[in-house]
Amino acid sequence: LTSCKGQHRSFCGGCGQPPGALTLGMAMEGRRLPCPERITDMVGFAFGVGCCGGFGLTFMRGLRDHPAGHRLSGAFAAAQTRAPQLGHTFALWSGLFHAFECAVSQRHADPNGARSSVDAAICGFLTAGVLSARSGPRAMSTNAVVGGLCVLLVDVVSGNVRSH
């Protein structure tokens, strides 16, 4: 959520909200937050998504795996333990991805404009490579290629294929 910074008196022409109202990010309007704020915003969003999704998935798995009589309490305890770890993983990936995205987008005339799919694939390549660097050069290069292809696939499937 970001605050509308319109210089208007009653309602914002861009978002239709009163001045200072919270809106759901600038990406909805075709523009994005500037780089430092974008990284922070997306890391927080990814942590929330990772925690909520991780809690739900771990809770469902716990319901299936725990013995009768302890299903609910065991599933809840497992989900409480695992959700922050998954949120951390999502936030780490998102932080690196968007840091690389800010660096790569600086080569464009409007770095805060809509990103291209090639830039996203490059950022996915770099992020996956850096995160798997401890596993050695072979694993790093394989994971980097897979990371770039996965990000490109997400762009293609979601219909966000763009080029500069």
Side-chain angles (χ1 to χ4, degrees):
L1 292 175
T2 59
S3 177
C4 178
K5 297 188 177 40
Q7 317 294 323
H8 46 275
R9 294 175 194 237
S10 59
F11 282 92
C12 177
C15 68
Q17 298 291 325
L22 294 177
T23 59
L24 239 176
M26 295 175 70
M28 303 297 277
E29 302 166 15
R31 298 201 43 85
R32 300 179 300 165
L33 289 170
C35 272
E37 291 89 3
R38 183 182 329 150
I39 296 169
T40 307
D41 185 50
M42 294 310 292
V43 165
F45 178 76
F47 182 76
V49 167
C51 282
C52 292
F55 185 90
L57 290 174
T58 307
F59 185 79
M60 296 306 284
R61 188 179 324 137
L63 284 176
R64 183 190 67 199
D65 293 343
H66 282 85
H70 299 283
R71 286 193 198 282
L72 195 58
S73 62
F76 191 70
Q80 278 185 313
T81 303
R82 188 77 177 122
Q85 294 168 350
L86 292 170
H88 169 264
T89 302
F90 270 67
L92 179 65
W93 202 95
S94 180
L96 274 174
F97 180 86
H98 286 92
F100 284 129
E101 185 181 43
C102 286
V104 169
S105 69
Q106 294 303 311
R107 65 187 174 92
H108 298 295
D110 183 16
N112 294 325
R115 69 169 172 81
S116 72
S117 296
V118 173
D119 288 351
I122 290 169
C123 296
F125 176 87
L126 293 171
T127 301
V130 166
L131 289 176
S132 60
R134 291 176 45 187
S135 300
R138 185 173 177 189
M140 184 172 120
S141 59
T142 302
N143 289 340
V145 169
V146 170
L149 290 175
C150 285
V151 170
L152 188 61
L153 180 67
V154 167
D155 269 8
V156 169
V157 168
S158 67
N160 291 333
V161 178
R162 289 184 217 100
S163 63
H164 275 285

